[in-house]
Amino acid sequence: MNDTPVSHAESISAMYDQSTAFFLEALGGSIHYGYWPDGPDNGSMVEASRRMTALMIEKLGVTAGQSVLDIGCGAGRPAVELAMATDARVTGVTISPEQVRVATELAAREGLAGTVRFQRADAIDLPFAGRSFDGAWLFESLLHMPDPEHVLRQTARVLRPGARVVISNVVLRGPLSPADEELLATFGELVRAPSIVPLAAYPELLARSGLTLRESLDISEHSVRGTYESCRDAAEKLLQTVDGGAADPAVVDLLKRTRDVAVRFTGGTRIGYAVLVATKA
Ligand SMILES: C[S@@+](CC[C@H](N)C(=O)[O-])C[C@H]1O[C@@H](n2cnc3c(N)ncnc32)[C@H](O)[C@@H]1O
């Protein structure tokens, strides 16, 4: 009998080790929401994903030769795009060994092995000296952290004074209806996201972590619907291709739950999405 409790970090690592390929397919090559400035009916998920990364790069504002920490780097596409756009040196950390492998291969394929590197690390305890980075981003990773304030404090610790941190994250936009409360709980359990907080809570959360909020951009109307339509369609497509009889019932169940959650997000919700820019004092 094995009754060793699985830690939250281990459970996230296992989820991404197994599901990174699905997320990349469903979300257009990275593992974050898309951005449709002209509404979700204009353009593909791949284009919207690239636009979201471009928005993050613009907000980070780093220049050639500067060093950036990508906390929760996924399969590496955002770090590679950041390095290509700015000539900054990027270090990406993720809790998933599979993502380190895929991301490292991507950087090598793009000829960036010297400037972009990836390693497994837990954001709870970043293995870097204080004041060692000129910028950082948490590109849709903070939602996974059981104690976001602690992780933001870790982030502030490794940044040089005046450096910028850009956060993109799922946020709450005002009081939730009972249906939204239920969706939040189901979504949180599905993707292991225990710490989705109101957008309005960020100024204090950041201040308690040694960071000053400079800009808060609620982009829900330009990101939520298109992203979940893409997710819904990817899950549906996979469900149609898996052989009902032979497929692992756990996989079928997970795909159905993913599709059902995605459908609920496309119907309108106060669980939104935002980009925040802060600086270290
Ligand atoms: C939604 S994905 C975003 C990936 C990537 N930033 C992107 O935009 O494609 C969340 C990422 O956070 C990472 N993550 C979650 N908890 C973590 C932790 N405690 N320490 C480091 N990375 C973590 C996951 O492994 C995953 O790479």
Side-chain angles (χ1 to χ4, degrees), residues 9 12-13 16 24 29-32 70-78 93-96 99 121-124 137-141 143-146:
I12 291 180
S13 174
Y16 279 115
L24 293 177
S30 288
I31 314 178
H32 56 72
D70 177 353
I71 302 169
C73 60
R77 168 69 52 198
V93 297
T94 168
I95 200 77
S96 153
Q99 290 186 338
D122 192 334
I124 283 177
W137 69 27
L138 291 126
F139 201 158
E140 209 174 304
S141 54
L143 75 166
H144 291 306
M145 314 295 175

Side-chain angles (χ1 to χ4, degrees), residues 183-239:
L183 177 57
L184 183 65
T186 308
F187 173 75
E189 196 194 332
L190 184 67
V191 302
R192 290 144 176 89
S195 55
I196 296 171
V197 300
L199 183 54
Y202 273 89
E204 282 190 16
L205 174 62
L206 288 162
R208 286 197 305 272
S209 315
L211 297 162
T212 306
L213 180 65
R214 301 290 177 191
E215 191 180 353
S216 171
L217 212 57
D218 182 342
I219 55 168
S220 308
E221 307 304 338
H222 306 283
S223 58
V224 177
R225 182 155 75 82
T227 299
Y228 284 99
E229 283 176 356
S230 177
C231 238
R232 174 200 65 197
D233 293 349
E236 192 60 59
K237 197 169 136 198
L238 261 179
L239 275 167

Side-chain angles (χ1 to χ4, degrees), residues 18-159:
Q18 286 159 11
S19 316
T20 288
F22 169 75
F23 284 126
L24 293 177
E25 175 65 27
L27 296 174
S30 288
I31 314 178
H32 56 72
Y33 283 43
Y35 180 48
W36 287 264
D38 305 317
D41 302 321
N42 293 288
S44 70
M45 183 70 216
V46 173
E47 291 163 339
S49 173
R50 295 288 171 101
R51 270 195 305 267
M52 182 69 85
T53 304
L55 178 67
M56 293 289 286
I57 292 170
E58 181 202 319
K59 296 297 175 190
L60 191 60
V62 291
T63 52
Q66 289 195 308
S67 61
V68 177
L69 182 60
D70 177 353
I71 302 169
C73 60
R77 168 69 52 198
V80 161
E81 289 185 18
L82 172 62
M84 281 175 166
T86 63
D87 282 330
R89 288 176 289 119
V90 187
T91 302
V93 297
T94 168
I95 200 77
S96 153
E98 171 62 9
Q99 290 186 338
V100 173
R101 188 188 67 74
V102 173
T104 303
E105 273 179 17
L106 175 68
R109 250 195 339 271
E110 299 289 351
L112 287 167
T115 41
V116 183
R117 60 187 195 88
F118 299 98
Q119 67 186 77
R120 183 175 191 274
D122 192 334
I124 283 177
D125 187 18
L126 291 170
F128 305 106
R131 303 180 170 209
S132 44
F133 291 95
D134 302 301
W137 69 27
L138 291 126
F139 201 158
E140 209 174 304
S141 54
L142 204 54
L143 75 166
H144 291 306
M145 314 295 175
D147 184 351
E149 184 178 326
H150 174 85
V151 169
L152 288 170
R153 252 191 262 118
Q154 279 284 306
T155 307
R157 179 183 67 76
V158 300
L159 286 176

